[in-house]
Amino acid sequence: MNTNFRYLTNLESSFRLVRLVAIGAIVLSLAFAAVVAFWALDTVEKSREKIYVLDNGKSLTLALAQDMNVNRSAEAKDHVRAFHRLFFNLDPDETAIDTHIREAAYYGDASIMRLYTDLREKGYFTQLIQGNVIQKVEVDSIALTGNQSPFSVRTYARQLLVRANTITTRRLITECNLIDIDRSDNNSHGFMIERLKVLENGDLETINRD
């Protein structure tokens, strides 16, 4: 009798243990499923904020859609600054000048080449080469009108003409418009300069070099 009672007691304890284990397994499974579902929804939501751009079918670039719009003004200023460095930073070497101007031409429309042609016809580049003059530009500020393309841009800079005995500082002010275009290896910002004009380019001072 006692043996049978102990057997029934052990059997009941075993069933109770099995039920606890089963309930625990179900609870853990539900918790795991909830965590996975939350992670999946969060991943999908974040993926919607991303843009995948296929560049010529070769490279995959990841860009955040919101960040792209936020940083567009900064990109516009960097585009204009890079153009001025290419176009106005010149060494007294015809090949180097041609290389700079060719690279600068990718940054805008025909107004860039019109400015180059006008300076060339006036003998400006010949004077730089013959006088062994190094020309540098220092961009002080870029004023941007608008929060998105097309932008109206005015650039304030100083031009330095370094000669063997003197350094001449000029005030340089340019104006242009910026419109969105497709990005490329030659134009990573995806902007085109339009209607480039030089509003002012006069001497400020000339100092003797020691």
Side-chain angles (χ1 to χ4, degrees):
M1 183 71 177
N2 291 335
T3 303
N4 291 334
F5 179 76
R6 283 198 301 271
Y7 173 77
L8 292 175
T9 302
N10 292 337
L11 186 62
E12 184 179 354
S13 299
S14 298
F15 280 135
R16 189 181 297 116
L17 179 61
V18 169
R19 282 199 301 270
L20 290 176
V21 170
I23 293 172
I26 292 172
V27 170
L28 288 176
S29 297
L30 291 175
F32 178 75
V35 170
V36 170
F38 177 79
W39 174 81
L41 289 174
D42 185 62
T43 302
V44 170
E45 188 64 27
K46 289 180 179 179
S47 69
R48 290 175 180 173
E49 299 177 357
K50 299 176 182 179
I51 297 174
Y52 292 90
V53 181
L54 193 62
D55 184 12
N56 294 326
K58 296 179 180 179
S59 62
L60 194 63
T61 304
L62 174 63
L64 292 178
Q66 294 178 344
D67 289 347
M68 179 180 289
N69 292 328
V70 168
N71 293 329
R72 205 58 179 141
S73 297
E75 282 193 290
K77 290 183 179 181
D78 195 54
H79 183 84
V80 172
R81 187 177 290 107
F83 163 75
H84 280 73
R85 287 171 179 165
L86 281 173
F87 194 91
F88 294 104
N89 277 354
L90 301 174
D91 295 324
D93 180 279
E94 185 175 1
T95 301
I97 291 174
D98 289 343
T99 299
H100 271 233
I101 299 302
R102 267 199 312 273
E103 292 181 15
Y106 287 110
Y107 283 67
D109 65 3
S111 61
I112 292 175
M113 294 309 297
R114 281 198 296 269
L115 176 59
Y116 166 71
T117 301
D118 183 54
L119 291 172
R120 186 183 62 189
E121 290 177 351
K122 291 178 180 178
Y124 184 78
F125 300 109
T126 300
Q127 293 174 20
L128 288 181
I129 296 170
Q130 292 179 350
N132 200 35
V133 181
I134 299 173
Q135 179 176 287
K136 299 292 183 184
V137 68
E138 296 179 358
V139 176
D140 295 322
S141 64
I142 299 173
L144 214 64
T145 302
N147 295 320
Q148 60 184 6
S149 173
F151 296 102
S152 179
V153 186
R154 182 167 289 193
T155 305
Y156 300 88
R158 286 170 295 153
Q159 219 174 340
L160 302 177
L161 300 177
V162 182
R163 299 181 176 87
N165 299 317
T166 62
I167 298 177
T168 299
T169 303
R170 289 180 177 172
R171 179 176 173 82
L172 175 65
I173 303 177
T174 65
E175 188 177 68
C176 68
N177 293 333
L178 277 184
I179 63 171
D180 283 313
I181 63 171
D182 291 335
R183 298 172 190 262
S184 68
D185 291 340
N186 295 314
N187 189 330
S188 59
H189 296 107
F191 279 114
M192 175 180 285
I193 293 173
E194 290 186 319
R195 302 175 184 178
L196 176 67
K197 297 177 183 177
V198 176
L199 302 181
E200 184 178 336
N201 192 16
D203 290 356
L204 292 176
E205 65 173 353
T206 298
I207 59 175
N208 293 322
R209 298 180 65 183
D210 295 333

